[in-house]
Amino acid sequence: MKTKKLLMIPGPTPVSRSIQDEMGRETIAFSDENFINDFNYCLTELNKIVKSDGEVFVISGSGTLAMEMSLSNVLKKGDNLLVVSHGFFGDRFIEIAKNKGINVDVLSSEWGKTVPIENIRETLKKKDYKAITVTHVDTSTGVKAELKEIGNMLKEFPEIIYIVDGVCATAGEAEYMNDMNIDILFTASQKAFGVAPGLLILWANEKAMLAREKLGSISEYFLDFKNWLPIMHDPSKYFATPSVNLIWALNESIRLINEEGIENRFYRHELFGKAIQKALEGLGFDILAEEKHRANTLSNVIYPDGVNDELFRKILAKEGVQVAAGLGAYKGKMFRIGHMGNIDKHYLISSIASIERTLYEFNIDRLSIGLNIIQRELINKSKG
Ligand SMILES: Cc1ncc(COP(=O)(O)O)c(C=O)c1O
């Protein structure tokens, strides 16, 4: 019998049975009253999750499309954009913006670190920037940006639109549109919502919608807020076919989030993140992100000497856990393990046990050391 392979890559994340069941339902017309009610429920609940009183868009597509949608609706050719990049996905904004003829300046950190807020403030003083992008958790580095602090600082620049990429964070790390002064936030279904890939979710506040209004007509059609807004206000209307079954699946994910409580969900992610990171360090790995800026949703794990990346991931997959490769300069030196969405302790404990068995194949005998650490972390912190 084959060992079950746990999906521990940083997205898509494991899709719970009850969410899968929603995708397996017989598809109905998007004009069906039942679906219209379901879509309305989805939109209302999504605003509650990030404490937004603005607009929310749920559209077929992935996180990259959401990145493009965020820029397309508030910036035009020749506008100034500041990209704060903590890795590969921060950098992706540069490519998208350049394609659109937007003037991009970039503040990048060394991988594993963050750009100091003071540097951001000083840069913003130099030019008339229309928007700034920040990736909440950059999946290439496992670094978490100081979202709230940046939002507070941005109050000194009330014209600037604060765009946050929450793809590897939303519903796993705390994000509150109003409290954090965020103007546009987006994610995709396959990360901390624990739904199969295929949907993007984008929240835009009044300031962002006003910026869209000021642009007049834009060359994007599918991505235009104005084409989707009537549907998001009244899902009985049509612009382009909604992903009926994925929206049902998202509703089930929302139901699970509400059942757990969003604050409890953030706490679980924090508990799991810290526990697995401590266990991995105990096994001789290093975590790329500096401790005070580590994400709770994934870990970017540097190998000890003598461990071949491809072989490690191959054996680990046979031992029952699939992880992702490192990106950029860390390709071959690091693996990435997701721990977000709808996962419980079994996933963490099995992952650490499988990693121990894999290390054993490399003549590194650390059997039960990581397990001892993670068990104690989970027991002690759960009590506290
Ligand atoms: C932080 C972040 N932004 C954007 C993306 C792009 O999302 P997608 O692959 O769904 O297009 C990813 C993908 O992993 C990501 O982690």
Side-chain angles (χ1 to χ4, degrees), residues 214-233:
K214 283 187 190 155
L215 286 185
S217 69
I218 62 173
S219 55
E220 290 79 5
Y221 183 69
F222 187 75
L223 292 181
D224 190 346
F225 283 174
K226 284 183 109 167
N227 283 335
W228 283 109
L229 202 59
I231 288 75
M232 299 303 139
H233 287 176

Side-chain angles (χ1 to χ4, degrees), residues 7 12-21 23 194-197 249 342 347:
L7 186 62
T13 59
V15 180
S16 305
R17 181 72 258 165
S18 65
I19 294 177
Q20 287 182 40
D21 286 348
M23 292 190 293
V195 174
N342 299 315
Y347 285 86

Side-chain angles (χ1 to χ4, degrees), residues 84-87 109-118 120 134-150 168-169 173 270 273-274 277 281 287-300 339:
V84 176
S85 178
H86 299 139
S109 61
E110 191 187 318
W111 276 32
K113 298 193 169 153
T114 56
V115 175
I117 294 192
E118 205 36 48
I120 306 176
V134 176
T135 310
H136 191 181
V137 171
D138 201 302
T139 322
S140 63
T141 57
V143 162
K144 178 163 61 174
E146 294 170 304
L147 225 53
K148 191 177 166 72
E149 291 77 3
I150 296 173
C168 196
E173 303 269 5
E270 191 182 338
K274 290 209 161 74
Q277 285 157 5
E281 284 176 326
I287 306 293
L288 174 63
E290 55 187 358
E291 200 170 349
K292 59 179 185 248
H293 295 124
R294 271 181 204 168
N296 298 322
T297 47
L298 90 159
S299 302
N300 295 37
H339 29 82

